[in-house]
Amino acid sequence: MTGDEKRVVVETAPGGAVLIRVRGSLDGWSGSTELADALTGAADGGGSRTVVDLSGVEFADSAWLHALLDGRRQHGAAGIPLVLAGPMTATVHRLLEVTGTLGAFQVADTVDSAFTW
């Protein structure tokens, strides 16, 4: 990933959904704030669902996880499904497993399958 590339990109997806593509390393110093902002915008935007593409995340820490959990809460309050899509790296999957938060999210194997639920 070059310095010019965005770590978090928000796209409009078919059916009024929002796709948030996340790339690179996300931690308290980079990317987590952008993810939190994107999730808040998606929850406030009233879309049909939000899909977070995690296939490009190489590293994540507790700040990233906090952003996801806050996003989950916001989406739940707004009545909008939030789906995490992979394939996830072993590092990201392990973080969700170890913290006991994997079961708190709807998880799809791929971005395409996340839109078919």
Side-chain angles (χ1 to χ4, degrees), residues 13-107:
V18 174
L19 174 60
I20 301 173
R21 294 190 187 272
V22 187
R23 300 287 179 257
S25 295
L26 299 175
D27 53 39
W29 294 277
S30 62
S32 293
T33 301
E34 291 88 345
L35 176 59
D37 291 345
L39 288 166
T40 297
D44 291 345
S48 62
R49 81 177 46 223
T50 301
V51 174
V52 182
D53 175 6
L54 300 177
S55 63
V57 177
E58 299 160 2
F59 171 81
D61 71 359
S62 61
W64 170 83
L65 182 57
H66 182 73
L68 278 180
L69 291 168
D70 275 354
R72 179 182 163 271
R73 180 186 50 75
Q74 293 167 340
H75 278 74
I80 300 170
L82 174 65
V83 182
L84 306 183
M88 290 183 228
T89 63
T91 302
V92 170
H93 193 268
R94 182 78 178 136
L95 174 63
L96 293 169
E97 272 186 335
V98 167
T99 58
T101 56
L102 184 60
F105 295 97
Q106 292 181 2
V107 179

